Structures are given as C-alpha cells and as structure tokens.
Amino acid sequence: MSSSVKRLSAGVNTAGAQSSYCFLQMCSREETLLKKILIVGAGAVGAVYGWHLHRAGHEVHFFVKPAYRDTVSAGLVLHRLEHRATRREDWSAPRVADLATVAAERWDQVWLTLSSDALRGELAAQLLAAVGAATVVCLQPDLEDADYVRARVETPEQVVHGLITLISYQSPLPGRDDPPGIAYFLPPFTPAPFSGSPARLSGVVDALNAGGMAARAVADVAPAAAAATALLQPLIASLELNNWQLSTVPGSAPLRIGLDAAREALAVARQVTGARTAKFRPLLVPWLWRLFLPLAARLLPLPLEPYLHYHFSKVGVQTRLMLETYIRLGRQHGLETQALQKLLQALPSQSNRT
C-alpha cells in the first residue's frame, strides 16, 4: 500500500487524554455518563467498534477466547484506510475480561461482534445469561439473529439491533505487504443504522458518534439489513464457487446461480421483514456486474478481491447458515427456494475448505 501514514497516539487510559479528546470534539458530557462496555469478540469488527467507543471516553473491555487474551492485552494497532492516506491508530493495553468477570460486573452495554454461527454456541449463551440488564447490541446479519438474542436476555427491550456498514480485516492480507494490525474503512455518508427502545438506542448511537464513527437511529433496522444481506450473501457464495476470482465472475455460471438465489432470498426478506426490495432488482442483471465490480475495486481504498477471499472464507459457516435460513423460511412461507438449494449444495462443506 503506497500511502502516507499519519500516526495518532492514543494514551486514552488517562483522564487527561480523555478530556483533551472531548474538548477537541466540543464534548461537555459529565463523567457519570461514561459507560462500562463489553465487546464480545476482538476480531477486526469488534476491535474497530471498541476503538471508537474507547475514543469517546468509555471504559471498554473485550471478551475473547483464552488463546487471544494476551494478544489483545498487549495492544492493538489499527489502520484507518482513506482515499488519500492511511492513518495509524494505537491502542495500548486494552482491558480483557473473563467469564467470571463478565458475570460479576455490571455492564452498561454489551456489543456482540461474533459471527452468526458463534452466536449460537454455548459460550455465547453463557455470556448472554450473565450480562443482566445491560443494553445488548446485536450486529449479526442472519434474519433470525436479533430474535435469537432477544429470547436469551432478561427483556427483549434491552436489545439494540444494528447493521455493520464498515469494512475491516486483519492486515496484511495474504500476498500483501501492508503494515500489520487491523485495517478498516468507514464509507463516507453511510452512518451505521441502529434501532431499539429510545432509551437504549440513544446511548448506543451517541457513544459511536462521540468516538468518531457516524451512527443514526432508525425506526426499524431489520428491513434494510435484511434486504442488503439477502442480495449480498448469495453473491458471496457464487464468488466462492468461482474460486474468489472477480475478473471472471461476470457472466459465469456461479454468478447466474447466485443472482437467481439472491432473487429468492430477497423475496424471503420481503415476506419476513417487510423489506422494500425493488431497488435491488437492477442488480440482479448479470451484465451489470461487468461494470460494477471494476468500479467498486477502483473506488475502495483496499484490495477488494483479497479482502473478499480472506474475510468470507473465515465466515464460511455463517454464509451457509444464512442460506439455510433463507431456504427454511422460504419453505415456511410457500416461496421458491430451488436456486438457494442449488447454491448451497454446490458449496463445499467446511471440513473440505482450506
């Protein structure tokens, strides 16, 4: 990556640094408004959300698997990707909590940044049972994830549902020589949408905005999230079938299967959430992707093909889980799912993946 690098030193563990940041942001909140926040997962997504909440002055802790605790505690290096520069951001000694600490402490917010399949694991269930009355932020993309979380906390009203609009990944990507750390891109003019009960929602949105990540409150994030994801997931599966080669996917058989499956997934999203899917219909035309993919690769300040290959290979179980959800819900509502089934059957099982 040939770009100038600006170093942002963040000794934000001290009260002086917190005060300086708030002053520069014309922030006048009282210390009593600062929150104790738990980020479940310190992968590329969790680290970026945690960093911005930390910048806002909140007390941020991570819950990670034991194998990753020392790595996180040693510090995180983030690289904010921009079109003209890459800005390095250092986070020294983030706090890490174990399960006993999670159960013993009182949390204001708990952010779930793990994958949809990990959300359904035993450890996640133990965490949800231990967070008490905290606001729980659900960022997972499956149609049933938010309801799954609501059923496992004290009250459904404590869940705030959000849509991830950022791109983040562990750097360097395979075959690249970029600096090590977590690279991320916040698309301009795309504030992250969240919905939930007003009292819970305002705390989440305000915290992100104060930390420099644009966020907004919406009446119901589920329809918009469902529509965007219903288009994306089948296309990601078709790209996997095409060996992650963007240059050859337009006009390919995998893309045709993926677009047919996306049409079915959009119908499921419309039926289940009331999503408005008409605006996505032009994207279901194969020849359009000959224009769109090269344009996207030029506009994004990151290597698109290596990113897609790396990230969505890591969350391959989630991709399959979501296709299964579309098929099951489609059958329940009497909708067509043949293309979704064909796409899912064509994907290799996780045990055969490299």
Side-chain angles (χ1 to χ4, degrees):
M1 180 183 298
S2 58
S3 57
S4 61
V5 178
K6 301 177 183 178
R7 186 179 183 88
L8 177 64
S9 177
V12 203
N13 288 331
T14 66
Q18 291 176 350
S19 300
S20 298
Y21 180 79
C22 290
F23 175 78
L24 291 172
Q25 296 296 319
M26 301 182 69
C27 174
S28 61
R29 65 182 181 279
E30 296 294 330
E31 189 70 16
T32 55
L33 295 181
L34 299 181
K35 295 175 172 58
K36 191 168 188 176
I37 298 175
L38 180 68
I39 307 291
V40 182
V45 173
V48 174
Y49 280 106
W51 166 246
H52 287 86
L53 294 167
H54 173 66
R55 286 186 65 188
H58 300 294
E59 180 183 328
V60 177
H61 299 244
F62 285 100
F63 179 86
V64 296
K65 294 178 180 179
Y68 301 112
R69 288 175 188 167
D70 291 344
T71 301
V72 175
S73 298
L76 298 174
V77 177
L78 295 93
H79 305 280
R80 178 165 179 171
L81 306 177
E82 298 172 337
H83 287 93
R84 295 186 178 182
T86 295
R87 183 170 62 193
R88 172 168 170 159
E89 302 166 328
D90 290 304
W91 187 355
S92 61
R95 298 175 176 91
V96 179
D98 57 20
L99 189 57
T101 303
V102 172
E105 298 289 338
R106 178 190 175 279
W107 304 96
D108 295 299
Q109 295 178 5
V110 175
W111 289 65
L112 305 175
T113 66
L114 62 172
S115 63
S116 294
D117 52 291
L119 179 65
R120 287 157 171 76
E122 181 180 350
L123 186 56
Q126 293 174 345
L127 278 166
L128 291 173
V131 300
T135 295
V136 178
V137 183
C138 177
L139 296 166
Q140 287 66 38
D142 187 78
L143 279 173
E144 298 178 323
D145 284 335
D147 286 338
Y148 180 90
V149 174
R150 292 186 187 104
R152 284 160 179 79
V153 293
E154 290 186 358
T155 63
E157 291 74 21
Q158 70 192 85
V159 177
V160 170
H161 189 191
L163 173 64
I164 297 174
T165 56
L166 61 87
I167 297 174
S168 60
Y169 56 89
Q170 292 286 342
S171 178
L173 292 167
R176 303 276 300 180
D177 60 357
D178 301 319
I182 295 170
Y184 73 96
F185 173 59
L186 302 179
F189 316 114
T190 312
F194 293 85
S195 62
S197 66
R200 305 275 187 168
L201 181 59
S202 61
V204 169
V205 171
D206 291 348
L208 279 184
N209 282 321
M213 182 187 291
R216 64 188 177 99
V218 299
D220 184 5
V221 75
T229 306
L231 175 69
L232 175 64
Q233 291 300 323
L235 293 180
I236 291 298
S238 68
L239 183 59
E240 180 178 347
L241 290 180
N242 201 58
N243 296 316
W244 305 102
Q245 299 296 312
L246 287 177
S247 61
T248 60
V249 75
S252 67
L255 180 62
R256 289 193 294 272
I257 297 172
L259 291 174
D260 288 341
R263 186 176 292 104
E264 293 176 353
L266 285 166
V268 174
R270 183 170 59 250
Q271 179 67 38
V272 173
T273 70
R276 298 179 178 179
T277 60
K279 63 182 178 181
F280 293 104
R281 289 174 189 163
L283 296 176
L284 300 175
V285 180
W287 65 264
L288 184 65
W289 292 90
R290 295 186 182 276
L291 304 175
F292 178 75
L293 288 176
L295 179 62
R298 284 195 293 268
L299 291 178
L300 291 173
L302 55 97
L304 182 58
E305 185 175 291
Y307 160 72
L308 292 172
H309 186 177
Y310 175 78
H311 174 71
F312 286 101
S313 292
K314 285 182 62 178
V315 297
V317 174
Q318 175 178 272
T319 299
R320 288 152 178 78
L321 182 151
M322 295 181 68
L323 293 177
E324 291 169 354
T325 298
Y326 293 129
I327 293 168
R328 176 167 42 80
L329 293 178
R331 288 171 172 170
Q332 288 178 9
H333 291 280
L335 300 174
E336 184 62 63
T337 63
Q338 286 186 355
L340 284 163
Q341 294 178 61
K342 183 177 181 181
L343 182 61
L344 179 60
Q345 291 168 1
L347 289 172
S349 65
Q350 280 303 106
S351 59
N352 293 330
R353 292 167 54 82
T354 58

Coordinates of all heavy atoms in Angstrom, one line a residue, residues 6 20 23 25-26 33 43 56 73 93 123 139 148 201 235 241 252 260-261 284 291 303 315 320 332 339 343 345:
K6 N -0.1 8.7 8.9 CA -0.2 9.7 10.0 C -0.4 8.8 11.3 O -1.2 8.0 11.3 CB -1.4 10.6 9.8 CG -1.4 11.4 8.6 CD -2.7 12.2 8.5 CE -2.7 13.0 7.2 NZ -4.0 13.7 7.0
S20 N -8.9 15.9 26.8 CA -8.4 16.6 25.5 C -9.3 16.2 24.4 O -9.6 17.0 23.5 CB -6.9 16.2 25.3 OG -6.1 16.7 26.3
F23 N -12.6 17.8 24.6 CA -12.5 19.2 24.3 C -12.4 19.5 22.8 O -13.1 20.4 22.2 CB -11.3 19.8 25.0 CG -11.1 21.3 24.7 CD1 -11.8 22.3 25.3 CD2 -10.1 21.7 23.8 CE1 -11.7 23.6 25.0 CE2 -9.9 23.0 23.5 CZ -10.7 24.0 24.1
Q25 N -13.5 17.7 20.5 CA -14.8 17.4 19.9 C -15.9 18.2 20.4 O -17.1 18.0 20.1 CB -15.1 15.9 20.1 CG -14.1 14.9 19.5 CD -14.1 15.0 18.0 OE1 -15.2 15.1 17.4 NE2 -13.0 15.0 17.4
M26 N -15.6 19.3 21.2 CA -16.6 20.1 21.8 C -17.6 19.3 22.6 O -18.8 19.5 22.5 CB -17.3 21.0 20.7 CG -16.4 21.9 19.9 SD -17.2 22.9 18.7 CE -18.1 24.0 19.8
L33 N -21.8 10.0 32.8 CA -22.4 9.5 31.6 C -21.5 8.5 30.9 O -21.9 7.9 29.9 CB -22.8 10.6 30.7 CG -23.8 11.6 31.1 CD1 -24.1 12.7 30.1 CD2 -25.1 10.9 31.5
G43 N -12.0 -9.6 17.1 CA -11.6 -9.7 15.7 C -11.6 -8.3 15.1 O -11.7 -7.3 15.8
A56 N -14.3 7.7 22.6 CA -15.4 8.5 23.2 C -15.2 8.6 24.7 O -16.0 9.4 25.4 CB -16.8 8.0 22.9
S73 N -4.4 -7.9 25.1 CA -3.9 -7.1 26.2 C -2.6 -6.4 25.9 O -2.3 -5.3 26.4 CB -3.7 -8.0 27.5 OG -4.9 -8.6 27.9
A93 N -2.7 -1.5 25.6 CA -3.2 -2.3 26.8 C -4.8 -2.2 26.9 O -5.3 -1.8 28.0 CB -2.6 -1.8 28.1
L123 N -20.8 -20.9 24.6 CA -20.1 -19.8 25.3 C -21.0 -18.5 25.1 O -21.1 -17.7 26.1 CB -18.7 -19.6 24.7 CG -17.9 -18.5 25.4 CD1 -17.7 -18.8 26.9 CD2 -16.5 -18.4 24.8
L139 N -25.3 -7.2 16.1 CA -24.8 -6.8 14.8 C -24.8 -7.9 13.8 O -24.3 -7.7 12.7 CB -23.4 -6.2 14.9 CG -23.2 -5.0 15.8 CD1 -21.8 -4.7 16.1 CD2 -23.8 -3.8 15.1
Y148 N -33.1 -14.2 18.2 CA -32.4 -15.2 19.0 C -31.8 -14.6 20.2 O -31.9 -15.1 21.3 CB -31.3 -15.8 18.1 CG -30.5 -16.9 18.8 CD1 -30.8 -18.2 18.8 CD2 -29.3 -16.5 19.5 CE1 -30.1 -19.2 19.4 CE2 -28.6 -17.5 20.2 CZ -28.9 -18.8 20.1 OH -28.2 -19.8 20.7
L201 N -31.4 3.0 22.7 CA -30.9 3.4 21.4 C -30.0 4.6 21.4 O -28.9 4.7 20.8 CB -32.1 3.6 20.4 CG -31.7 3.9 19.0 CD1 -30.9 2.9 18.3 CD2 -33.1 4.1 18.2
L235 N -24.5 -13.8 -3.4 CA -23.4 -13.4 -4.3 C -22.0 -13.8 -3.8 O -21.1 -14.1 -4.6 CB -23.5 -11.9 -4.6 CG -24.7 -11.4 -5.4 CD1 -24.7 -9.9 -5.6 CD2 -24.8 -12.1 -6.7
L241 N -17.8 -20.1 -5.3 CA -17.9 -21.1 -6.3 C -17.0 -20.8 -7.5 O -16.5 -21.7 -8.2 CB -19.3 -21.3 -6.8 CG -20.3 -22.0 -5.8 CD1 -21.6 -22.1 -6.4 CD2 -19.7 -23.4 -5.3
S252 N -20.5 -15.6 -15.5 CA -20.2 -17.0 -15.2 C -21.4 -17.8 -14.7 O -22.4 -17.1 -14.3 CB -19.1 -17.1 -14.1 OG -19.6 -16.6 -12.9
D260 N -30.0 -15.8 -9.2 CA -31.3 -16.4 -9.0 C -31.5 -16.7 -7.5 O -32.7 -16.5 -7.0 CB -31.3 -17.8 -9.8 CG -31.4 -17.6 -11.3 OD1 -31.8 -16.5 -11.7 OD2 -31.0 -18.5 -12.0
A261 N -30.5 -17.1 -6.8 CA -30.7 -17.3 -5.3 C -30.9 -16.0 -4.6 O -31.7 -16.0 -3.7 CB -29.4 -18.0 -4.8
L284 N -29.8 -7.5 -10.2 CA -30.0 -9.0 -10.5 C -29.8 -9.3 -12.0 O -30.0 -10.4 -12.4 CB -31.4 -9.4 -10.1 CG -31.7 -9.2 -8.6 CD1 -33.2 -9.6 -8.3 CD2 -30.8 -10.1 -7.7
L291 N -19.7 -4.0 -15.1 CA -19.4 -2.5 -14.9 C -19.2 -2.3 -13.4 O -18.3 -1.5 -13.0 CB -20.6 -1.7 -15.4 CG -21.0 -1.8 -16.8 CD1 -22.3 -1.0 -17.1 CD2 -19.9 -1.4 -17.7
P303 N -7.6 -3.6 -1.2 CA -7.6 -4.7 -2.3 C -8.9 -5.5 -2.2 O -9.0 -6.4 -1.3 CB -6.3 -5.5 -1.9 CG -6.1 -5.3 -0.5 CD -6.6 -3.9 -0.1
V315 N -15.6 -16.6 7.5 CA -17.0 -16.7 8.0 C -17.9 -17.6 7.1 O -19.1 -17.4 6.9 CB -17.7 -15.3 8.1 CG1 -16.9 -14.5 9.2 CG2 -17.7 -14.6 6.8
R320 N -23.2 -20.3 5.0 CA -24.0 -21.5 4.9 C -25.2 -21.5 5.8 O -26.3 -21.9 5.4 CB -23.2 -22.8 5.1 CG -22.2 -23.0 3.9 CD -20.9 -23.7 4.4 NE -20.0 -24.0 3.3 CZ -19.3 -23.1 2.7 NH1 -19.3 -21.8 3.1 NH2 -18.5 -23.4 1.7
Q332 N -41.4 -22.3 4.7 CA -42.5 -22.0 5.6 C -43.5 -21.0 5.0 O -44.7 -21.2 5.3 CB -41.9 -21.4 6.9 CG -41.1 -22.3 7.8 CD -40.6 -21.7 9.0 OE1 -40.9 -20.5 9.3 NE2 -39.7 -22.4 9.7
A339 N -33.2 -22.2 -6.3 CA -31.9 -21.7 -6.6 C -31.0 -21.6 -5.4 O -29.8 -21.9 -5.4 CB -32.0 -20.3 -7.3
L343 N -27.5 -23.5 -4.9 CA -26.3 -22.8 -4.5 C -25.7 -23.4 -3.2 O -24.5 -23.7 -3.2 CB -26.7 -21.4 -4.2 CG -25.5 -20.4 -3.8 CD1 -24.5 -20.3 -5.0 CD2 -26.1 -19.0 -3.5
Q345 N -26.0 -26.5 -2.1 CA -25.5 -27.8 -2.4 C -24.2 -27.8 -3.1 O -23.3 -28.7 -3.0 CB -26.5 -28.6 -3.1 CG -27.8 -29.0 -2.3 CD -28.9 -29.5 -3.2 OE1 -28.8 -29.6 -4.4 NE2 -30.0 -29.8 -2.5

